[in-house]
Amino acid sequence: MKRFRRLRTTEQMRSFVRETTVSVEDLIYPLFVAEGTDKKDPVPSMPGIYQFSLDRLEEEVSKVVDAGIPAVLLFGIPEHKDEVGSEAYNENGITQRAIRQIKTAHPELLVIADVCLCEYTSHGHCGLICDGHILNDETLPLLAKAAVTLATAGADIIAPSDMMDGRVAAIRAALDEAGFELVPILSYAAKFASAYYGPFRDAAGSAPQFGDRKSYQMDPANGKEAMREIEADLEEGADMIIVKPALAYGDIAARARERFDVPFIAYNVSGEYSMVKAAAENGWIDERRIVLENLTSMKRAGADRIITYHALDVARWLSE
Ligand code: PBG
Ligand code: ZN
């Protein structure tokens, strides 16, 4: 008889044959930075997550550094929004200032800058609008400009999340032109039009004011197309890729891992976080075990690293 149970007898034995582990080095923590002072505003749909003003940001960043988390992903929330997302490419915009401040205090912490327009546009879409359509090619120079200002501020990694076609090439060219040929691009290569981003849009105030994102983000039904998206971004010059969301998209992660030998990051998105938090607060699930099981599934599917709002909690659990 095959006795699989031989290798399951004790924790020492199970640990000895364990194929997948989650460690603090795997984690990337998203941060929301808002204009204003003395702000640590809770995001109602994401318990434990806050919008920080610059003068209180260090409270959170020092926790990240002390926990040994190697990287943060920054999202800026501007006071002023307009049709063309001007604050996204303002050299002194909220995100650019946050990056300068973090890199000055913690040069060793990797700062990943999300590049998109939706937090900065009055209409909440990721690109420019004309007659209710989201323009592609006209949006590219603005994304490229945003990327250059973020790199100038000191961002270590540029992460475009807009899903316009051709943006990686446009951003690569602009970065090179500006002397940032060594700043890598982490592309949200396969990003699906997902209901799981709902809580994030509360956190970032970036919900579209009309329509939805289905004309630029991917149809959740399409796995083969995700491979073509990733392939195209790598051809355009992406150095690393993201698949997003993570939990319901393990098949996409596994296929991406098989096909592409580049650093690959899963994004455990806001809705995935909120569902776990809500159930845990009701006492319906064991939060710690559920979170570690979810993150383990992402690593097992092939992710090298995970962007997760649980990062600070996980770092604490792993060190206990
Ligand atoms: C901006 C952006 C979004 C997320 C990351 N970057 C929102 C969206 O596309 O609507 C989602 C993150 C999350 O849900 O945690 N384009
Ligand atoms: Zn966007």
Side-chain angles (χ1 to χ4, degrees):
M1 202 200 306
K2 271 255 176 231
R3 290 200 186 272
F4 291 102
R5 293 181 57 184
R6 260 180 223 128
L7 300 183
R8 295 176 196 154
T9 50
T10 61
E11 180 48 30
Q12 287 75 8
M13 189 67 79
R14 291 188 292 272
S15 166
F16 189 64
V17 298
R18 189 160 292 140
E19 299 172 30
T20 311
T21 52
V22 175
S23 70
V24 68
E25 289 83 30
D26 298 329
L27 307 174
I28 300 163
Y29 189 56
L31 284 175
F32 297 101
V33 197
E35 218 98 46
T37 53
D38 196 27
K39 250 191 214 164
K40 182 183 175 182
D41 296 345
V43 177
S45 52
M46 300 177 73
I49 300 297
Y50 303 84
Q51 294 183 356
F52 292 92
S53 55
L54 284 178
D55 57 327
R56 296 197 59 182
L57 183 59
E58 177 56 22
E59 287 172 31
E60 192 79 344
V61 175
S62 62
K63 282 186 202 159
V64 172
V65 171
D66 292 346
I69 295 166
V72 292
L73 173 62
L74 267 195
F75 295 100
I77 302 142
E79 216 145 47
H80 168 77
K81 303 192 187 215
D82 60 26
E83 286 275 299
V84 294
S86 304
E87 286 300 301
Y89 36 91
N90 175 350
E91 285 166 23
N92 270 316
I94 181 67
T95 319
Q96 289 80 355
R97 278 182 284 143
I99 293 170
R100 267 186 221 113
Q101 181 179 312
I102 295 173
K103 288 305 293 184
T104 304
H106 306 282
E108 72 293 348
L109 178 67
L110 285 174
V111 173
I112 307 173
D114 184 274
V115 174
C116 201
L117 298 188
C118 57
E119 296 109 88
Y120 307 91
T121 49
S122 43
H123 45 74
H125 276 289
C126 305
L128 294 176
I129 303 283
C130 186
D131 296 333
H133 293 287
I134 290 84
L135 301 174
N136 192 90
D137 300 15
E138 292 79 355
T139 301
L140 301 182
L142 302 185
L143 295 168
K145 230 161 98 178
V148 170
T149 62
L150 295 162
T152 304
D156 297 291
I157 297 169
I158 296 296
S161 70
D162 52 281
M163 289 301 280
M164 297 300 128
D165 291 318
R167 85 245 206 241
V168 173
I171 290 172
R172 186 69 270 160
L175 288 173
D176 290 355
E177 167 92 5
F180 296 112
E181 53 279 287
L182 289 180
V183 174
I185 295 177
L186 165 62
S187 173
Y188 287 76
K191 177 172 176 179
F192 292 87
S194 171
Y196 282 104
Y197 309 151
F200 173 94
R201 294 179 190 168
D202 293 343
S206 63
Q209 298 304 300
F210 67 90
D212 53 42
R213 303 209 200 292
K214 290 179 186 165
S215 76
Y216 42 108
Q217 297 180 348
M218 289 187 56
D219 186 329
N222 294 356
K224 298 187 190 99
E225 188 186 344
M227 299 304 112
R228 299 206 302 278
E229 277 278 6
I230 295 170
E231 200 162 40
D233 281 10
L234 291 172
E235 271 168 23
E236 286 181 36
D239 302 282
M240 303 177 272
I241 55 169
I242 296 176
V243 168
K244 178 187 173 191
L247 216 43
Y249 295 78
D251 59 322
I252 309 291
R255 287 162 76 176
R257 176 73 298 161
E258 286 268 291
R259 277 184 59 165
F260 304 104
D261 290 325
V262 294
F264 159 45
I265 296 174
Y267 197 144
N268 176 210
V269 299
S270 58
E272 299 169 350
Y273 175 86
S274 301
M275 291 195 305
V276 170
K277 282 290 187 184
E281 283 184 0
N282 275 294
W284 294 338
I285 56 167
D286 178 333
E287 178 176 359
R288 177 174 168 157
R289 288 190 58 205
I290 290 271
V291 169
L292 290 172
E293 188 171 329
N294 284 351
L295 299 188
T296 299
S297 80
M298 294 164 202
K299 291 288 304 282
R300 193 187 61 231
D304 296 306
R305 299 284 181 263
I306 304 168
I307 302 167
T308 180
Y309 302 95
H310 297 290
L312 279 173
D313 289 336
V314 172
R316 183 164 31 83
W317 296 331
L318 293 177
S319 72
E320 276 167 11

